[in-house]
Amino acid sequence: MSPKPSIAKNADYHHGNLRNALIEAGRSALMEVSAQDLSLRYLARMVGVSEAAPSRHFAGIDELLATIAASGYRDLAALRVAIRDSEDTALAKAYRMMRVYIEFAQHHNGLFSLMIGPRIAAHQAYPELTEESNRSFGLFSETIEALAIESGWAQSDLKLVTHAAWSMEHGLATLILSNRAPRADTKVAIPKLIDFVVTTLLSAVTAGPDHLQSVIEQCELVQKPVATRTARKRAKA
């Protein structure tokens, strides 16, 4: 059973304060309950207003949840702006960009799950959410691309490099939050796992496209004997 929401007594929500109070109440509630359990009634009780009051600011719970998710992306973007504006090297900035995403997910589990999960079916239906999400990703991709350019990658490969880095940080974050990484039957410290995963990806980026091509060629050489054996078996059949 979901915990009963705390009710703020004698709250003053004039001049638009109710809208912000509902957003903050939603963020707070997500620390205890899932997005599926949130409703306008639940959040209205948390801030101590009538059940009808939230409808003055939000068309429904989906719009409120989208606004809450947008606030999460706004916070993440603020962290990324600080990294972008730092005096760090391109490599250090890329490392921090990837780590901050995973750390944000760890520190704001419920909020992050709302931001990236299926509860909000159509992100593009909410302009504020789309804008804040794109802004956060833009800060990330600009940083990764800067490192890639410095490491000799062609313009045509930059989006590929960015998506590889994004897949790595996002995949690890979701695995950690779902308690699937590290595996229960292994003794791997999460901080060390994060460092290893992030630095491994960045090592590949900084090694450059020539190194990647070398690895691809070596992998193809490993596969050729297998393919040859398969072809021979088919020929005998």
Side-chain angles (χ1 to χ4, degrees), residues 29-213:
L30 286 169
M31 298 172 64
E32 304 293 339
V33 302
S34 71
Q36 300 294 337
D37 294 323
L38 289 185
S39 65
L40 291 180
R41 174 184 297 180
Y42 184 102
L43 296 176
R45 290 179 59 198
M46 281 192 70
V47 299
V49 297
S50 70
E51 295 179 7
S55 63
R56 302 170 192 166
H57 300 279
F58 301 99
I61 186 61
D62 287 346
E63 183 178 340
L64 174 54
L65 290 177
T67 304
I68 293 170
S71 75
Y73 279 112
R74 189 178 301 113
D75 288 353
L76 178 58
L79 295 172
R80 285 178 155 171
V81 165
I83 295 171
R84 181 199 63 187
D85 294 344
S86 72
E87 299 297 325
D88 286 342
T89 63
L91 176 57
K93 287 182 180 181
Y95 171 82
R96 292 176 61 197
M97 280 284 181
M98 294 184 70
R99 275 207 67 114
V100 79
Y101 184 87
I102 300 168
E103 291 170 351
F104 184 91
Q106 290 178 292
H107 297 155
H108 307 280
N109 192 332
L111 176 61
F112 182 80
S113 296
L114 172 66
M115 290 161 59
I116 57 92
R119 179 60 182 84
I120 304 172
H123 280 214
Q124 66 275 12
Y126 304 98
E128 183 183 6
L129 175 56
T130 300
E131 179 183 352
E132 295 299 340
S133 174
N134 289 345
R135 180 166 177 260
S136 175
F137 186 80
L139 290 161
F140 166 77
S141 62
E142 288 171 9
T143 303
I144 299 298
E145 287 182 10
L147 177 63
I149 292 170
E150 182 181 281
S151 302
W153 294 86
Q155 285 288 332
S156 58
D157 289 330
L158 295 184
K159 298 305 179 185
L160 180 62
V161 174
T162 297
H163 276 71
W166 176 46
S167 299
M168 191 71 80
E169 68 170 9
H170 183 76
L172 181 56
T174 53
L175 283 171
I176 290 173
L177 292 194
S178 62
N179 294 318
R180 297 183 65 185
R183 290 176 57 89
D185 57 354
T186 61
K187 294 183 179 180
V188 176
I190 290 179
K192 288 186 177 180
L193 176 62
I194 294 172
D195 268 339
F196 186 80
V197 169
V198 172
T199 54
T200 297
L201 183 283
L202 294 178
S203 294
V205 175
T206 56
D210 290 342
H211 178 71
L212 174 62
Q213 185 58 38

